[in-house]
Each structure stands twice: as C-alpha cells, then as structure tokens.
C-alpha cells in the first residue's frame, strides 16, 4: 500500500497521478477563465469564470510546489524519460507552472491592492504609489507566458498520444 503511493520505474504512483490529473483539470478551468476574459468580455460567463482566476492561480502555485518536491523525492524511481526532449519539455512545463502565477503575485503585490485567497488575507495591500517594476513585469510577462504554457501543454498532450501510436513507448499507460 505504502508502495503504491510512490513512483516506480514502470509507473507513476498514486500521489503523482492524482497531482497530474487533478492539476490538469484545474488548468482547463484556469485557461477557460483567461479565454473568457479575451473572447467573452462583459458577459455573465466572464464574470463567472474570471472571478476565480486569481484564487485558483494561487492554489495551482501551491500544488505545483508540492508536486515538484514530490517529483524530486521520487526522482530515482520514476519511469525514465523517453528522450532528452521529453525531459526538457517536462522541465519547461514546471518552469512555466511556477513562473506564471509567481509573476502575477509580484504584480499584485506591487499594485498595492489586497489579495484574499479562500478567505485568507495573503496581501494586506498598501496606500500610495504602485511599485512600477513589479506591475510592469506582470504586464509584460504574465499573460504572454500564460499562453505559452497553454501552447506547451497542447504540444505535451499531442506528444503523449503520438508516442503511444508511433513508438513502443506507451507513456500514457504509466500515468493513467
Ligand atoms: C498557473 C496559474 C495562472 C495561469 C496559467 C494564468 C494565465 C493567464 C493568462 C493566459 C492570461 C492572459 C489573458 C489575456 O490575454 O487577457 C492571464 C491574465 C491575468 N491573470 Fe493570470 N494566470 C495564472 C495565475 C494568476 C494569478 C495567481 C493571478 C493573481 C494573483 C492572476 C491574475 C491575472 C490578471 C490580473 C490578468 C489580466 C492581466 C494580464 O493579462 O496580465 N493570474 N492569466
Ligand atoms: C489530456 C491531458 C494530458 C495528457 C494526456 C497527459 C499525458 C501525460 C503522460 C502520458 C505523461 C507521462 C510522460 C512520461 O512518462 O514520459 C505526463 C507527464 C507529465 N505531464 Fe501531462 N498530460 C496531460 C496534461 C498535462 C497538463 C495540463 C500539464 C501541466 C500544465 C501536464 C504536465 C506534465 C508533467 C510536468 C509531466 C512529467 C511528470 C510529472 O512530474 O508529473 N500534463 N503527461
């Protein structure tokens, strides 16, 4: 039982799979809210989805930190990468999953606005001038890197199915 929790060379364990698929679902929601902001401006759909964007983004950041710690703890027994490209791709996914919400939080802090997540006050906010480098950084990079993460994720899903179809590596089996 304890063993099923951990990864093995042939399969990701329960914890890794729960984090992967749970977060995949939450990312679908997160990108829906970003898309609603662009394509359904000033509609009920936007106010419904967009209202969750910051809070869910923070939840995803907490989850990805836990997931990275778990990945490191299981590094020696995880299924081996099928290629260097796969390894780099997964690393890039981690990098963006951490950078995108972190940059948003830096911008939020610099804006001086308060931030509550699930009823917890994370930032009290402040009076006075914005901290320009913080708001500029987010304005420049948050949305752009967010869309880059979506593009990389689409590539990731396509590659997972291609590996299954075209090579002997049925990588899907070890994550399902
Ligand atoms: C993994 C987590 C996150 C992802 C994938 C993500 C993704 C995105 C994307 C793709 C956009 C662009 C929408 C557009 O083009 O208009 C966006 C915008 C925005 N996000 Fe996030 N976001 C995340 C976390 C957060 C967090 C934690 C906050 C706030 C604390 C936040 C606040 C905003 C704001 C205010 C905007 C509108 C301004 C802008 O486009 O930069 N996001 N997000
Ligand atoms: C339908 C959606 C998805 C499918 C079919 C899928 C499929 C897979 C498969 C088969 C693996 C194992 C690859 C291997 O062992 O070499 C994997 C690993 C991984 N996937 Fe996905 N994936 C999906 C969504 C996502 C999303 C939304 C993200 C994050 C934005 C993501 C990030 C990762 C990462 C970082 C790994 C490396 C293992 C880990 O640390 O969890 N995946 N995925």
């Amino acid at each position: 039982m304890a063993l099923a929790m951990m990864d093995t060379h042939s399969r990701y364990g329960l914890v890794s799979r729960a984090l992967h698929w749970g977060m995949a679902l939450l990312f679908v929601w997160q990108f829906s809210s970003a898309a609603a902001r662009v394509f359904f401006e000033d509609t009920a759909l936007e106010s419904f989805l967009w209202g969750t964007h910051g809070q869910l983004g923070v939840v995803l950041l907490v989850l990805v930190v836990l997931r990275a710690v778990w990945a490191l703890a299981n590094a020696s027994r995880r299924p081996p990468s099928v290629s260097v490209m796969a390894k780099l791709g997964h690393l890039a996914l981690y990098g963006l999953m951490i950078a995108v919400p972190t940059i948003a939080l830096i911008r939020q802090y610099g804006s001086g606005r308060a931030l509550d997540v699930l009823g917890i006050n994370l930032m009290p906010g402040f009076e006075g001038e914005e901290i320009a480098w913080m708001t500029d950084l987010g304005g420049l990079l948050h949305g752009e890197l967010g869309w880059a993460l979506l593009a990389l994720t689409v590539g990731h899903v396509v590659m997972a199915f291609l590996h299954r179809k075209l090579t002997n590596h049925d990588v899907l089996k070890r994550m399902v």
Side-chain angles (χ1 to χ4, degrees), residues 27 30-31 33-35 37-38 50 53-61 64 96-108 113 115 117 123 138-150:
F27 270 110
Q30 188 69 351
F31 285 116
S33 72
R37 183 171 183 272
V38 180
W50 186 249
H53 185 84
Q55 302 205 52
L56 181 55
V58 173
V59 170
L60 278 166
L61 178 58
V64 75
L96 286 172
M97 285 192 283
I98 292 170
V100 169
T102 301
I103 288 169
L105 288 178
I106 292 173
R107 170 172 64 191
Q108 178 81 22
R113 290 191 311 262
L115 177 68
V117 174
M123 295 181 193
L140 209 62
L141 290 179
H142 176 70
E144 273 64 16
L145 291 183
W147 292 126
L149 173 58
L150 176 60

Side-chain angles (χ1 to χ4, degrees), residues 102-166:
T102 301
I103 288 169
L105 288 178
I106 292 173
R107 170 172 64 191
Q108 178 81 22
Y109 182 83
S111 74
R113 290 191 311 262
L115 177 68
D116 291 297
V117 174
L118 308 175
I120 302 164
N121 179 250
L122 291 188
M123 295 181 193
F126 57 79
E127 300 281 320
E129 295 256 311
E130 291 189 349
I131 303 169
W133 74 265
M134 290 186 161
T135 53
D136 290 350
L137 179 78
L140 209 62
L141 290 179
H142 176 70
E144 273 64 16
L145 291 183
W147 292 126
L149 173 58
L150 176 60
L152 196 63
T153 305
V154 171
H156 167 72
V157 175
V158 169
M159 287 315 290
F161 285 99
L162 274 187
H163 272 114
R164 186 184 154 92
K165 272 215 144 22
L166 303 180

Side-chain angles (χ1 to χ4, degrees), residues 3 10 12 17 47 84 99 101 135 154 159 167:
L3 275 179
S10 55
Y12 291 92
R17 278 180 275 142
S47 47
V84 178
T135 53
V154 171
M159 287 315 290
T167 70

Side-chain angles (χ1 to χ4, degrees), residues 15-30:
V15 177
S16 296
R17 278 180 275 142
L19 283 166
H20 179 270
W21 295 113
M23 287 179 68
L25 280 181
L26 295 178
F27 270 110
V28 170
W29 185 277
Q30 188 69 351

